Amino acid sequence: MQCPSCRADECRVVDSRVAEEGTAIRRRRQCLACSHRFTTFERVDHAPLTVVKSSGDIEPFDRTKVVAGLAAATKGRAVSADTLERMATHVEDVVRLNGNEVSTAVVGLTVLDELRGVDDVSYLRFASVYKHFDAAADFHRELELMEKSAPRAVASD
Ligand SMILES: [Zn+2]
């Protein structure tokens, strides 16, 4: 955090406390260069994230849909609810890196990336279901690559 007095980049946090009824964190900082003290507030970024469907329709990003998709893919597998929540949070974080508008194809691929690292069967299951929902070219390329590199049977439901 840049010092508002001397513009040096290095500072240390001398105090942190909850503010604004728990919706913010207030930090007192001290510049390492000039010892100037200043205050910063940390709040949730509520900029809305919107999802563009392959039809061109736009809808608000719905984290619960990501959790539901992950839950369906990992059903009967040793993946805990906590892990699903953490994966969904990570998916949202990753897609937000691209801005406040994201395509369903990117959301799907990001979910696939998450599942790849957690459970192979869930990964293949989500891949086979997802292709029915969205005909994105990127997705099919991903699926073909996966089928070439992992000639494993998909668990039957
Ligand atoms: Zn300073």
Side-chain angles (χ1 to χ4, degrees), residues 102-124:
V102 64
S103 68
T104 49
V106 168
V107 175
L109 287 170
T110 309
V111 170
L112 270 178
D113 272 349
E114 287 294 309
L115 286 169
R116 180 191 283 127
V118 171
D119 185 65
D120 283 351
V121 169
S122 303
Y123 172 80
L124 291 166

Side-chain angles (χ1 to χ4, degrees), residues 21-139:
E21 296 178 329
T23 63
I25 302 285
R26 176 186 183 275
R27 298 190 202 281
R28 285 292 287 166
R29 295 169 183 272
Q30 183 167 33
C31 174
L32 296 183
C34 74
S35 296
H36 177 68
R37 287 195 175 204
F38 56 103
T39 302
T40 57
F41 284 90
E42 181 182 312
R43 293 184 185 84
V44 172
D45 181 0
H46 286 298
L49 179 62
T50 54
V51 176
V52 185
K53 298 160 88 167
S54 54
S55 61
D57 290 346
I58 290 175
E59 62 180 33
F61 177 83
D62 186 349
R63 194 174 170 287
T64 59
K65 283 188 183 172
V66 174
V67 174
L70 287 167
T74 57
K75 193 171 178 226
R77 306 293 299 169
V79 182
S80 71
D82 279 355
T83 302
L84 297 186
E85 289 293 327
R86 204 163 56 237
M87 290 164 82
T89 300
H90 193 235
V91 166
E92 184 169 359
D93 287 347
V94 168
V95 298
R96 272 189 188 278
L97 294 177
N98 297 319
N100 293 329
E101 197 172 282
V102 64
S103 68
T104 49
V106 168
V107 175
L109 287 170
T110 309
V111 170
L112 270 178
D113 272 349
E114 287 294 309
L115 286 169
R116 180 191 283 127
V118 171
D119 185 65
D120 283 351
V121 169
S122 303
Y123 172 80
L124 291 166
R125 208 186 268 164
F126 184 82
S128 67
V129 171
Y130 184 71
K131 74 178 174 187
H132 298 303
F133 290 134
D134 201 297
D138 282 351
F139 176 73

